[in-house]
Amino acid sequence: MNTLHRLTLLAVAGTALALSLTACQSDSGSTSSSRPTTAATVASSPAAGATTAAKGTVTSDAAGPAASARSAGSKDSTGATDATDAAGGRGTASTLLCTARDVRVTAATQDGPPYTHIVLTARNTSGHSCRLAGFPHLQFLESHKQDVPAVAKSKPATPVVLTAGAPAYALVKLSDGGVDEDNEPVSAFSLQLEGDSTVIAVTAPGSDGIAVDPAKALTGYWTPELRNGADDF
């Protein structure tokens, strides 16, 4: 009896010990499985940070249109300046008239003989743009104080604006070329520009000067190019 009782007690103690060990192993397993879960949660934090960075980039891009708007404003401002320059180039009222100080006027014969026409060239020497208006106001002889009449059909359709160094031309008729005309020799003559009272002395072309019939003399308007045939008079 004592021996059997002792064996029974040992068996019960052994069973209790086995159950205790199993419980400890189960608790230890649960703790281990929870750590990977925690590690996974920490690992997701950089992902969240990446998302935040991506949103920051989008925000920066969103600021781009505002910067673009500012750039567009600058472009508009520049465009307006360019438009103003272009308008000046087309010869609006904002372009100053050329004066005698702005241009150098020379004369050359055209066709001939007989030399019935000369070409006047007004070249802008001022270094800035100016508008050459109307026609040259010419007086060939001291005995004829009135200006040489202008031919209306030679008037250009748009204002003549000379950039720095650019020329303009005017065709001038001296006579009909007839032997019986009342021609007078001219070695130099006076010229005035539209809107300027300064008298410009122009040397006549040729070693012997030119022959002018005051009753037949005519002048064309200033044009940016000499139009062959269009200004014949």
Side-chain angles (χ1 to χ4, degrees):
M1 288 292 292
N2 292 334
T3 301
L4 180 60
H5 180 69
R6 188 180 295 108
L7 291 173
T8 301
L9 291 175
L10 290 174
V12 172
T15 301
L17 179 61
L19 291 174
S20 176
L21 290 174
T22 301
C24 289
Q25 291 176 354
S26 176
D27 291 342
S28 176
S30 298
T31 303
S32 298
S33 63
S34 65
R35 286 174 184 170
T37 303
T38 303
T41 303
V42 173
S44 68
S45 297
T51 302
T52 302
K55 289 181 179 178
T57 303
V58 171
T59 303
S60 176
D61 289 344
S68 299
R70 289 191 295 272
S71 297
S74 176
K75 184 177 181 181
D76 290 343
S77 176
T78 303
T81 301
D82 292 341
T84 300
D85 292 341
R90 288 193 297 269
T92 63
S94 62
T95 306
L96 295 177
L97 286 174
C98 297
T99 67
R101 299 179 61 179
D102 297 324
V103 299
R104 179 174 179 267
V105 181
T106 57
T109 55
Q110 185 194 48
D111 300 330
Y115 296 105
T116 60
H117 291 72
I118 60 173
V119 177
L120 300 178
T121 301
R123 188 174 299 276
N124 183 356
T125 58
S126 67
H128 59 79
S129 295
C130 64
R131 177 165 51 94
L132 196 58
F135 53 87
H137 296 264
L138 300 172
Q139 290 186 7
F140 283 114
L141 301 165
E142 287 292 330
S143 58
H144 294 77
K145 293 297 185 180
Q146 68 272 21
D147 291 346
V148 173
V151 178
K153 71 174 182 178
S154 65
K155 185 177 182 179
T158 57
V160 178
V161 174
L162 302 183
T163 57
Y169 307 94
L171 185 66
V172 179
K173 179 182 177 180
L174 305 176
S175 66
D176 287 337
V179 293
D180 296 329
E181 285 186 279
D182 294 327
N183 294 335
E184 297 188 38
V186 174
S187 59
F189 54 92
S190 64
L191 179 152
Q192 288 178 282
L193 301 177
E194 189 82 25
D196 186 4
S197 61
T198 304
V199 176
I200 302 173
V202 182
T203 301
S207 57
D208 297 328
I210 54 179
V212 178
D213 181 350
K216 304 292 184 180
L218 296 169
T219 183
Y221 279 71
W222 294 113
T223 59
E225 60 183 12
L226 190 61
R227 299 173 294 175
N228 294 330
D231 296 330
D232 288 344
F233 48 82

